[in-house]
Amino acid sequence: MFDLTGRTALVTGATGGIGNAIAQALHAQGATVAISGTRREVLDALAAKLGERVHVLPCNLSDSAEVEALVPAAEAAMGQVDILVANAGINVRKQPEDYSRAEWHQIINANLTSLFLCANAVLPEFRKAGGGKIITIGSVRGFLGHPGGYAAYGTSKGAVHLLTKQLATEWAKKRINVNAIAPSIFWTPLTQQVRDDPEL
């Protein structure tokens, strides 16, 4: 595999299935991890499972003020951030015409704007260190339209893919590596409604 001993990682959306697994994998390879999400009890359970080299940093990524405080909190807890995993993702499954403006902005803020804010927040630390790694979690829903209530989610994840390319292009000379992963459906709490819907 790979050795991350002495490295640090901030994982957003660690209360979800994919983020939880990512945090565990990074920790297993020796990294110190800061895990973030909205459900403190889930974060605490993950921290208890991991044991040492873990820091719990609750954050609502739909709230820009909380997002802007997250990276400084991670740096204070771990000394630095070497790896940012921007994994957080939420969805409200509705037809496009049925979204309220608040629901639309909530999804865009959590899935896309939080990535932009976190990436810019780690930039000074990465510059100081001479480089860094950002991993974004997109989705196959970000490439193709799909029925069933994914207008906001798919739009946000499509924008995540393009923002990832832009950051990779802009920051390559700074030795900051930015890549996206675009999973299909995993059976996690976020996809439970899809699993239970026989028409999807």
Side-chain angles (χ1 to χ4, degrees):
M1 290 288 288
F2 49 90
D3 185 8
L4 294 176
T5 301
R7 306 295 296 278
T8 63
L10 169 60
V11 182
T12 69
T15 53
I18 292 176
N20 188 294
I22 289 172
Q24 291 190 60
L26 293 171
H27 187 271
Q29 299 307 313
T32 296
V33 295
I35 52 176
S36 179
T38 54
R39 291 173 290 162
R40 179 67 191 243
E41 69 280 5
V42 178
L43 294 176
D44 286 340
L46 176 57
K49 180 177 182 178
L50 297 179
E52 58 184 11
R53 293 184 285 107
V54 59
H55 301 272
V56 173
L57 301 174
C59 179
N60 177 5
L61 292 184
S62 296
D63 186 322
S64 296
E66 290 194 31
V67 176
E68 289 173 348
L70 177 60
V71 169
E75 292 173 346
M78 300 188 294
Q80 64 189 52
V81 174
D82 299 313
I83 304 163
L84 168 64
V85 182
N87 163 75
I90 63 172
N91 189 25
V92 177
R93 287 184 61 213
K94 289 186 174 182
Q95 291 298 302
E97 64 273 20
D98 294 330
Y99 283 105
S100 69
R101 288 191 180 184
E103 289 168 333
W104 176 268
H105 287 299
Q106 179 188 24
I107 294 167
I108 298 299
N109 286 343
N111 297 2
L112 175 63
T113 306
S114 68
L115 161 59
F116 177 75
L117 294 175
C118 285
N120 276 288
V122 296
L123 181 59
E125 182 72 30
F126 284 1
R127 279 175 166 164
K128 189 191 312 179
K133 176 71 177 177
I134 299 174
I135 302 168
T136 70
I137 307 300
S139 171
V140 294
R141 296 279 191 259
F143 294 109
L144 298 171
H146 193 280
Y150 295 96
Y153 181 84
T155 298
S156 69
K157 290 300 186 177
V160 164
H161 297 154
L162 185 53
L163 178 57
T164 300
K165 293 177 182 179
Q166 289 294 138
L167 295 178
T169 301
E170 298 285 358
W171 292 351
K173 290 182 179 179
K174 299 178 177 67
R175 300 181 63 83
I176 298 172
N177 186 255
V178 190
N179 287 297
I181 299 171
S184 185
I185 291 180
F186 286 82
W187 295 138
T188 68
L190 181 65
T191 60
Q192 181 68 47
Q193 189 178 9
V194 178
R195 190 184 339 183
D196 294 341
D197 190 335
E199 296 183 1
L200 295 175

